Amino acid sequence: MPRPDAAPSGAPAPGATVPRSLQLVPKAEGRLTAKDFKSDQEVRWCPGCGDYAILAAVQSFLPELGVRRENIVFISGIGCSSRFPYYVETYGMHSIHGRAPAIATGLAVARPDLSVWVVTGDGDALSIGGNHLIHALRRNVNVKILLFNNRIYGLTKGQYSPTSELGKITKSTPVGSADWPFNPISLALGAEASFVARTIDSDRKHLISVLRAAAHHPGSALVEIYQNCNIFNDGAFDVLKDPSSRDSSLIRLEHGQPVVFGANQEYAVVRDPAGFGLRVVDTASVPASEIITHDVTVPDPAYAFALSRLSGEDLSHTPIGVFRAVDRPTYDELVRGQVTTAQAKVTQGAEAELASLLHSGDTWTIL
Amino acid sequence: MAKQVRQLDRVVIRFAGDSGDGMQLTGDRFTSETAQLGNDLSTLPNFPAEIRAPAGTLPGVSSFQVHFANFDILTPGDAPDVLVAMNPAALKANIGDLPSGATVIVNTDEFTKRNLAKVGYDSDPLTDGSLADYTVAPVALTSMTVAALQDFDLSKKEAERAKNMFALGLLSWMYSRPTESTIRFLERKFAARPELAQANIAAFKAGWNFGETTESFAVRYEVKPAKMAPGTYRNITGNVALSYGLLAASVRSGLPLFLGAYPITPASDVLHELSKHKKFGVTTFQAEDEIAAVGAALGASYGGALGVTTTSGPGVALKAETIGLAVALELPLVICDIQRAGPSTGMPTKTEQADLMLALFGRHGEAPAAVIAPQSPADCFYAALEACRIALKYRTPVVLLSDGYLANGSEPWLLPEIDELPDLRVEFATEPNHELPDGRRVFWPYKRDPQTLARPWAVPGTPGLEHRIGGLEKADGSGEISYDPANHDKMVRLRAARIEGIAQDIPPLTVDDPDNDAEVLVLGWGSTYGPIGAACRQLRARGVKIAQAHLRHLSPLPANTGEVLRSYQRVVVPEMNLGQLSTLLRARFLVDVISYNQVRGLPFTAAELESALEEVVKNA
Ligand SMILES: Cc1ncc(C[n+]2csc(CCOP(=O)(O)OP(=O)(O)O)c2C)c(N)n1
Ligand code: SF4
Ligand SMILES: [Mg+2]
């Protein structure tokens, strides 16, 4: 099995400005292009599906990673979105419903020389796979999770999902859903994810900037991507796309910048004196010093959580961008560190070591 | 006065007490002394599921049985010759298993009115004559221990706690066991608190000296070493042997071992054991649940590691879908099921063999996997190696069916030479393996080895072999998604043929039929090997003809299985389930096997098998 320490000449030199998340991944020799990441498989999503735009954005972003194509792996669950790996010319596994984070965890821990990505849907990640998602996030394993949220079950033809609005009429809820939805960002922050971001299928530039931040983050990254399912939930994110509503709904988070939005920055986010969170006010009504300056590194997830609570079910006041990016030890680094420390003490070959182990404890010899 | 020394061929001792009394440790130490002496031995721990059931109650009783002999033995013994009962509950819970004439050593200090009432004794069994059939040796274990430790700076409670060492000392004297290993053990165990080490050693010696000086024990026994094959031995439990087998497979394959596990009795000890051996490059991952545990193991396996998951029945149920994925992906994966009594939570600390059908068929679709079962605690080492060998060579999930009895039971193990263990090295794919009509060389992930039908294992990081695999049906060869009816039919048959083909690569079923004239064959699998073997010996010693065979591979079955079954007039299959293997054999081979079943959470006794088998022989 290719070992990271035996990485060929293309491997990044120590000290080079390669992010920690990619330091052990062998570097590509030449510059790759988006075309290098297109597989020969015919893409089979419905015409007009938001998944196409995400695929194109990912394919155009991957060369930027600068790592060898064969060292990138996409692992998905089940759903329309989870067909994704078939279309990307890297290693890939289309696994089973909800379990991709678990499979990716094993792969990422075993293989530090890989850049491991998970592609999942709102049903896949938040319903059947909810447990694996929160544990992958709290552990902080070096996997990047792209959650395509179309607020519906696409592949099974249109049942409501854990992100569908209360009262949603679907095939399985003819008089409206009675389930209170998850906010995936709030959920991830509750699990103390070290990197949490949201983006949207229709804004390629933004999507790529978020992918870049995720790729550079050491540890688990959750990227929620709002994705239009034009067959079963068309227009779910129109408020965020329609020129008439978009400016007053979308809050673009920028690290180090005041959190203001609106066509003329007429809205601002400030602490809510009445509660524990944040609220939206008219920019003109508050002194500039009261406006929150966005900081992705705040250690307490409560800040990013408060940001995530600004958006209601109707998507009014929806922040996009990176909510949180804090540096903490990753599970795979810690685990590998323990193994490396133990191995450093070994003074003999594996077979001799095994013989010593078998002969340890109380033994007796019969002649 | 020098005591009389009497020679015995074999002895079965059961240590029983409250779960807080340290009976497992006492049994372990006695076993270790016995191993040092060179007896053959076999042990059976039996403990409650509760960590600390209320003290002095029947559910709180924990016991450890050890059988040792001057010849090779196969079981921990049907019935104890000696019972050490640390309290009334231990006496009440175990006395029913004793044959008349057996010796009972009781800790009289615990036989108070209150303790007797707690377990429903209306009168004191030590004085009411109800133990008349036994030789009762009353010993004030607790108070003598406290007296022996009066010079130590210990609380009364701490001193009392050493009573198990007093008992161990007494029994070690009675059976002339060497004591050095226990003294060394106590020094090591209490290295951080030397005064406790010294106190425990003092209690141990006091027990020994008590035996030596008291009038109550007039006779001392000796059991001479057994004739065993030359070599170095250690005593080993099934779970430790299994862990070592997995480590050995990692060493012999050169692949790092990745264990994904979620704690569950009686499998957790494998996770505990392997987590200690990181220097072998082992990664142990305690997952959020069994599904994640097997998923991570499969992910590691996809990356070129030796992916293993360990669990018990409830966990196997949860892993089913992922094992099915491994069947579709055709990747190596080892699933160790340390079976326990079910259904549902059942009796977690008790043994059973009722997951056979689950291992063979517990997945949707036609999802064949290899299944193998160890037959004794030490054999878990070789079974683990064999499971890994099959998984790696045939790129398939393999289920290893151990059970609670093998997991916690122990026996002496003749240590193998490492270089004589099977060579498990594998070759990863490194190059395109297929030429298209236009002359281009490409990688086909499902182009099989014609011999083994295994597909190439191309791990991520291999340049030029980028490919996608998944749970969707794949076209034979190219591995592309396919819904073609003929292709699916072919792939289903190919996956089955790949598993069936392993039969050419495993030893044939051998039959132990000393004079080749038995009419009845007894066929077992897994942990029943010991009791079946002991029963056969006893029958043969009385001139009863019986043949014995034991299955290690349950999927595929050895190629000659049908032939063996058909060459006997009757075939009896004893199982700790309601007849799962017999159902399978009847269906596969149309042989009218007789099923002999018991599901009491305990291994068969040799005696009950002996009479059941004799019945069949008589009517054959
Ligand atoms: C164990 C299991 N249960 C149910 C299904 C059926 N199923 C497939 S995809 C899916 C929901 C997918 O929804 P989502 O994750 O939102 O993906 P989308 O199709 O919307 O991209 C379901 C219920 C399955 N494949 N496996
Ligand atoms: S059903 Fe919806 S999510 Fe699925 S491919 Fe069609 S448009 Fe896309
Ligand atoms: Mg969806």
Side-chain angles (χ1 to χ4, degrees):
Chain A
M1 147 180 163
R3 306 237 174 216
D5 49 353
S9 55
T17 54
V18 175
R20 197 168 109 219
S21 59
L22 294 171
Q23 241 158 35
L24 299 174
V25 187
K27 249 194 152 166
E29 261 141 34
R31 170 112 186 137
L32 297 164
T33 66
K35 217 173 128 241
D36 293 315
F37 289 97
K38 291 196 170 96
S39 78
D40 61 359
Q41 298 295 300
E42 184 194 342
V43 185
R44 298 256 184 97
W45 288 307
C46 308
C49 175
D51 290 348
Y52 283 95
I54 306 174
L55 175 64
V58 170
Q59 284 166 332
S60 68
F61 162 70
L62 287 175
E64 201 189 289
L65 283 180
V67 302
R68 293 169 167 236
R69 193 171 67 168
E70 63 268 22
N71 288 77
I72 301 174
V73 185
F74 279 86
I75 298 189
S76 64
I78 296 291
C80 294
S81 36
S82 288
R83 293 295 179 102
F84 195 92
Y86 288 116
Y87 308 135
V88 189
E89 188 58 24
T90 60
Y91 281 85
M93 185 198 293
H94 178 218
S95 76
I96 45 176
H97 203 17
R99 316 302 172 195
I103 295 170
T105 294
L107 181 64
V109 172
R111 294 288 304 274
D113 59 329
L114 302 178
S115 170
V116 181
W117 297 74
V118 166
V119 174
T120 179
D122 43 321
D124 195 60
L126 301 171
S127 212
I128 194 165
N131 198 32
H132 308 308
L133 179 78
I134 56 175
H135 288 279
L137 294 176
R138 79 168 165 87
R139 267 186 207 112
N140 205 28
V141 193
N142 194 14
V143 297
K144 315 303 162 199
I145 303 170
L146 309 183
L147 193 172
F148 295 18
N149 182 5
N150 53 13
R151 305 186 80 179
I152 200 80
Y153 283 3
L155 191 70
T156 46
K157 303 196 175 162
Q159 301 83 5
Y160 75 104
S161 90
T163 55
S164 300
E165 319 80 90
L166 189 67
K168 183 152 190 97
I169 308 269
T170 70
K171 273 196 192 133
S172 59
T173 49
V175 293
S177 139
D179 274 17
W180 186 254
F182 270 141
N183 174 330
I185 302 287
S186 305
L187 180 79
L189 290 163
E192 291 191 46
S194 60
F195 181 99
V196 182
R198 174 188 286 144
T199 183
I200 187 160
D201 57 4
S202 54
D203 186 343
R204 175 185 292 214
K205 207 172 136 221
H206 190 267
L207 212 166
I208 288 181
S209 73
V210 167
L211 291 176
R212 180 180 303 126
H216 290 187
H217 176 74
S220 326
L222 178 84
V223 179
E224 180 189 19
I225 307 174
Y226 283 157
Q227 172 244 325
N228 192 39
C229 166
N230 54 311
I231 302 296
F232 297 112
N233 200 18
D234 196 23
F237 306 102
D238 276 0
V239 265
L240 306 177
K241 300 178 181 179
D242 195 296
S244 67
S245 55
R246 131 186 113 193
D247 293 335
S248 58
S249 306
L250 261 192
I251 308 176
R252 290 175 180 272
L253 300 172
E254 299 276 356
H255 178 68
Q257 297 298 317
V259 186
V260 289
F261 63 105
N264 302 305
Q265 322 263 289
E266 64 271 36
Y267 306 113
V269 173
V270 299
R271 279 175 200 271
D272 183 356
F276 299 100
L278 301 171
R279 67 179 180 137
V280 173
V281 294
D282 287 343
T283 308
S285 69
V286 291
S289 59
E290 278 185 22
I291 298 173
I292 294 290
T293 299
H294 185 47
D295 182 354
V296 298
T297 67
V298 176
D300 184 352
Y303 160 64
F305 188 84
L307 277 176
S308 77
R309 304 315 295 169
L310 288 171
S311 51
E313 272 184 83
D314 59 358
L315 302 182
S316 59
H317 307 157
T318 298
I320 61 168
V322 180
F323 286 69
R324 173 177 166 85
V326 298
D327 211 335
R328 66 175 157 91
T330 73
Y331 176 82
D332 42 304
E333 282 168 339
L334 292 174
V335 165
R336 281 195 303 273
Q338 291 179 350
V339 170
T340 317
T341 308
Q343 284 182 313
K345 292 188 195 130
V346 177
T347 52
Q348 51 186 352
E351 308 227 325
E353 195 66 39
L354 179 63
S356 314
L357 174 67
L358 300 192
H359 287 257
S360 64
D362 294 336
T363 61
W364 69 98
T365 299
I366 292 178
L367 300 172
Chain B
M1 181 191 87
K3 302 229 172 168
Q4 189 191 340
V5 175
R6 203 172 296 161
Q7 297 296 325
L8 295 174
D9 291 335
R10 51 172 288 269
V11 181
V12 178
I13 300 178
R14 187 182 293 176
F15 295 92
D18 202 57
S19 29
D21 284 343
M23 289 298 98
Q24 301 303 322
L25 179 91
T26 310
D28 261 346
R29 287 324 310 161
F30 190 88
T31 302
S32 195
E33 294 173 2
T34 295
Q36 289 288 318
L37 192 140
N39 293 138
D40 194 12
L41 65 89
S42 173
T43 68
L44 176 68
N46 192 358
F47 35 79
E50 296 80 7
I51 306 305
R52 286 274 184 277
T57 61
L58 289 171
V61 173
S62 165
S63 72
F64 187 103
Q65 182 163 314
V66 50
H67 180 193
F68 54 102
N70 63 8
F71 58 95
D72 69 311
I73 51 171
L74 295 165
T75 74
D78 289 359
D81 302 307
V82 180
L83 171 70
V84 178
M86 301 298 281
N87 65 9
L91 179 71
K92 186 151 195 185
N94 291 286
I95 192 76
D97 295 341
L98 267 60
S100 61
T103 298
V104 188
I105 298 172
V106 287
N107 177 11
T108 50
D109 290 326
E110 289 291 321
F111 279 65
T112 61
K113 253 209 167 74
R114 198 165 154 264
N115 287 353
L116 290 168
K118 227 188 240 178
V119 293
Y121 273 128
D122 295 330
S123 59
D124 186 348
L126 301 182
T127 53
D128 68 4
S130 60
L131 299 178
D133 283 351
Y134 311 100
T135 308
V136 181
V139 182
L141 279 168
T142 313
S143 45
M144 282 199 285
T145 305
V146 173
L149 301 185
Q150 61 186 355
D151 292 342
F152 287 84
D153 185 20
L154 294 178
S155 68
K156 181 151 178 276
K157 231 185 159 143
E158 277 176 318
E160 282 180 355
R161 206 172 289 153
K163 64 181 180 292
N164 62 333
M165 286 299 114
F166 189 98
L168 178 62
L170 174 59
L171 271 289
S172 300
W173 169 82
M174 264 179 88
Y175 291 94
S176 318
R177 308 283 99 182
T179 56
E180 305 78 33
S181 68
T182 292
I183 291 171
R184 255 184 292 142
F185 168 85
L186 291 170
E187 283 165 353
R188 249 185 291 134
K189 181 173 164 70
F190 296 107
R193 293 194 57 189
E195 76 281 11
L196 272 189
Q198 287 318 311
N200 275 283
I201 292 169
F204 176 65
K205 287 185 173 160
W208 176 285
N209 294 337
F210 172 71
E212 186 86 20
T213 49
T214 181
E215 303 275 303
S216 330
F217 297 102
V219 195
R220 200 177 168 189
Y221 302 93
E222 275 180 6
V223 178
K224 288 268 154 60
K227 270 185 212 63
M228 287 160 82
T232 300
Y233 288 77
R234 69 181 281 173
N235 193 51
I236 197 152
T237 65
N239 270 350
V240 175
L242 177 63
S243 310
Y244 287 2
L246 294 172
L247 284 177
S250 165
V251 169
R252 296 292 287 167
S253 63
L255 301 179
L257 177 62
F258 183 99
L259 175 74
Y262 186 77
I264 185 168
T265 302
S268 302
D269 281 339
V270 180
L271 169 63
H272 304 161
E273 185 62 36
L274 285 174
S275 65
K276 293 192 278 196
H277 301 297
K278 297 189 180 2
K279 64 179 168 189
F280 288 95
V282 180
T283 302
T284 52
F285 171 59
Q286 182 177 316
E288 58 270 24
D289 61 22
E290 280 87 350
I291 303 175
V294 67
L298 182 61
S301 188
Y302 173 61
L306 175 57
V308 177
T309 187
T310 49
T311 188
S312 189
V316 178
L318 287 173
K319 291 173 199 289
E321 193 192 8
T322 312
I323 301 172
L325 176 63
V327 169
L329 297 182
E330 303 190 27
L331 283 170
L333 178 69
V334 175
I335 303 104
C336 302
D337 174 4
I338 322 295
Q339 301 164 94
R340 63 190 224 182
S344 189
T345 310
M347 302 195 289
T349 56
K350 309 296 174 195
T351 197
E352 203 159 278
Q353 293 185 295
D355 296 352
L356 177 60
M357 291 300 199
L358 175 67
L360 290 167
F361 305 115
R363 293 166 291 279
H364 69 281
E366 292 286 354
V371 179
I372 83 163
Q375 63 181 34
S376 75
D379 187 46
C380 289
F381 177 84
Y382 300 101
L385 267 167
E386 174 68 353
C388 295
R389 182 188 75 88
I390 293 174
L392 292 170
K393 181 165 175 187
Y394 293 90
R395 315 274 148 84
T396 176
V398 179
V399 184
L400 184 155
L401 289 173
S402 177
D403 62 32
Y405 166 49
L406 296 179
N408 295 315
S410 72
E411 65 178 349
W413 176 34
L414 173 59
L415 297 173
E417 293 298 331
I418 306 298
D419 54 11
E420 284 166 14
L421 298 175
D423 182 350
L424 303 186
R425 277 174 297 182
V426 289
E427 270 180 45
F428 292 128
T430 53
E431 290 181 6
N433 59 352
H434 185 74
E435 190 167 305
L436 295 175
D438 64 7
R440 266 189 306 138
R441 305 259 329 145
V442 293
F443 179 64
W444 272 20
Y446 281 79
K447 187 163 173 171
R448 298 166 188 284
D449 177 302
Q451 202 68 44
T452 60
L453 297 181
R455 73 177 193 90
W457 192 1
V459 303
T462 314
L465 305 193
E466 292 90 338
H467 66 281
R468 274 64 53 193
I469 53 176
L472 286 170
E473 184 60 286
K474 288 154 285 283
D476 179 30
S478 74
E480 294 196 355
I481 301 170
S482 168
Y483 285 86
D484 178 60
N487 176 73
H488 178 56
D489 188 83
K490 184 172 186 195
M491 287 295 275
V492 168
R493 289 172 199 279
L494 272 170
R495 286 186 286 260
R498 184 166 107 269
I499 300 300
E500 245 348 280
I502 300 169
Q504 307 308 316
D505 190 20
I506 60 176
L509 181 60
T510 54
V511 182
D512 174 29
D513 184 357
D515 301 316
N516 274 316
D517 56 355
E519 292 178 341
V520 174
L521 170 74
V522 52
L523 178 70
W525 69 276
S527 76
T528 52
Y529 175 77
I532 294 174
C536 289
R537 276 190 194 172
Q538 283 159 32
L539 287 171
R540 288 171 190 159
R542 294 193 284 110
V544 181
K545 305 276 185 196
I546 188 136
Q548 185 195 358
H550 208 73
L551 286 168
R552 173 189 214 56
H553 296 88
L554 283 317
S555 168
L557 291 164
N560 66 335
T561 306
E563 195 187 310
V564 169
L565 294 179
R566 287 187 205 99
S567 54
Y568 287 86
Q569 237 168 54
R570 304 284 358 214
V571 178
V572 196
V573 179
E575 291 178 89
M576 294 186 289
N577 60 44
L578 292 187
Q580 299 191 9
L581 177 64
S582 19
T583 301
L584 196 77
L585 296 175
R586 284 164 163 264
R588 274 284 298 269
F589 302 107
L590 297 176
V591 170
D592 186 16
V593 304
I594 301 169
S595 196
Y596 181 72
N597 316 102
Q598 213 170 74
V599 277
R600 304 189 317 130
L602 291 167
F604 284 108
T605 65
E608 68 197 345
L609 281 176
E610 185 184 346
S611 54
L613 295 176
E614 186 162 22
E615 200 62 24
V616 178
V617 175
K618 268 197 217 139
N619 300 327

